[in-house]
Amino acid sequence: MSGYRHPRSSALDCILSSFQMTNETVNIWTHFLPTWYFLWRFSVLCTSLDFLTDSYTWPLLVYMLLICLYPFTSSCAHTFSSMSAEARHICYFFDYGALSLYSLGCAITYGSYAMPDRWVNSWLHQHFVTIGVANSLFCTSMSCYSRFVELQFPHKSKILRTAAFIVPFLFDSFPLFYRLLSCCWGSCSPSEALASHSYHLLFAFLTCFLFASHLPERLAPGRFDYIGHSHQLFHVCAVVGTHFQMEAVLTDMASRKDWLTSHSSLPSFPATVGVLVLGVLLNLGIIGIFSAGLPRTPRQSTSAHLHQE
């Protein structure tokens, strides 16, 4: 309800605002600082793994690039979204695109390292990444479209945006759900990877809950404008969940290497880095189409929205 920046701020004003207390300041830093954490982890992995010639590491390479990209893009979106109504939309178009690419990175990584033993070489395993690409395009398209109906139908917009991210998350997580349920039924032995996957899923559900519920600010409007509102908590849960996901992926990658390499083919460059490049190009095309459509939408209000993205 308060703490908004001027809706026609300059780029310099936006940067300086990240060092002032507004209702976006914590949003900016809760994703900017984790970007450097993930970059540090990536740099450490670069010293111990051969990302250039070892094809088994290529899915991890794609994943690490994307978990560095999505928090940085989000931080930039929150920083520069107050330059104009059009800039606000475009900033969040790129934010949504980065998140959908992250979902594609999860599909590539899970398909390579986290697939249940019984599913390896199955139809789902063979088409897992292809479906991940389709989910990524669906996610970007639906979330960008949701901004076009936001002013007239805010509730519908929220539903569309939430569904856009739930669909790829649920699909990517199917292998994890199966592995966890198998352990609950006693047909597998607990592992460090499954523990980390469990923590990741827990924080993922918390992230979704906070995004959809707008707690705690809906219980005390105005009390959490600067610190403690749901979008800030949503950022923190998302990053912590990604940390546990990264640890689980690294554990699966190391502990299952011998079995996976002997029962399935090694990841190929087109199926990993090539898919990432294709996903980037297609998502940029979608963002370009929606950005070009902005002038043809009803004139946007220059006042700041009274809700978080």
Side-chain angles (χ1 to χ4, degrees), residues 54-308:
D54 185 1
S55 62
Y56 184 72
T57 67
W58 289 343
L60 179 66
L61 172 64
V62 170
Y63 173 77
M64 293 304 299
L65 288 172
L66 293 175
I67 66 171
C68 293
L69 174 67
Y70 94 76
F72 178 73
T73 306
S74 172
S75 178
C76 290
H78 283 284
T79 300
F80 297 106
S81 60
S82 63
M83 293 181 65
S84 68
E86 293 74 21
R88 183 177 183 85
H89 287 299
I90 293 172
C91 279
Y92 286 106
F93 287 166
F94 278 98
D95 186 20
Y96 304 151
L99 285 170
S100 70
L101 285 173
Y102 162 65
S103 76
L104 174 58
C106 293
I108 293 172
T109 309
Y110 287 174
S112 299
Y113 306 135
M115 196 63 61
D117 294 352
R118 293 182 179 180
W119 292 8
V120 171
N121 297 322
S122 65
W123 182 91
L124 180 63
H125 186 203
Q126 294 173 356
H127 296 85
F128 200 73
V129 173
T130 302
I131 300 174
V133 173
N135 283 337
S136 172
L137 301 181
F138 165 79
C139 178
T140 303
S141 301
M142 186 67 72
S143 54
C144 288
Y145 171 73
S146 71
R147 301 194 65 82
F148 283 73
V149 299
E150 189 171 40
L151 292 179
Q152 293 82 5
F153 308 103
H155 185 64
K156 177 182 177 181
S157 173
K158 189 73 172 183
I159 293 175
L160 290 175
R161 199 172 305 167
T162 303
F165 294 106
I166 287 179
V167 169
F169 165 74
L170 290 177
F171 174 78
D172 290 345
S173 300
F174 276 155
L176 305 184
F177 293 146
Y178 181 86
R179 288 175 63 186
L180 291 170
L181 287 175
S182 296
C183 284
C184 291
W185 294 332
S187 58
C188 81
S189 57
S191 68
E192 182 182 348
L194 286 180
S196 295
H197 280 309
S198 299
Y199 287 126
H200 161 239
L201 292 174
L202 172 62
F203 279 99
F205 284 119
L206 283 174
T207 299
C208 181
F209 172 76
L210 290 166
F211 179 79
S213 67
H214 290 288
L215 291 172
E217 66 269 17
R218 70 186 301 170
L219 301 179
R223 296 286 183 89
F224 301 96
D225 287 355
Y226 293 91
I227 298 177
H229 61 71
S230 61
H231 204 85
Q232 296 169 358
L233 301 176
F234 153 76
H235 274 203
V236 173
C237 287
V239 168
V240 174
T242 302
H243 162 75
F244 283 114
Q245 181 188 49
M246 176 184 63
E247 296 295 341
V249 165
L250 291 172
T251 302
D252 270 336
M253 177 188 173
S255 64
R256 305 184 72 205
K257 181 177 182 179
D258 293 338
W259 190 92
L260 290 171
T261 54
S262 63
H263 287 79
S264 63
S265 58
L266 287 171
S268 66
F269 190 85
T272 53
V273 179
V275 169
L276 172 60
V277 173
L278 176 64
V280 170
L281 294 176
L282 291 176
N283 276 281
L284 285 176
I286 293 172
I287 292 171
I289 291 172
F290 279 101
S291 298
L294 284 175
R296 294 191 292 273
T297 60
R299 187 174 182 273
Q300 303 294 328
S301 171
T302 57
S303 62
H305 293 282
L306 295 183
H307 65 278
Q308 295 299 324

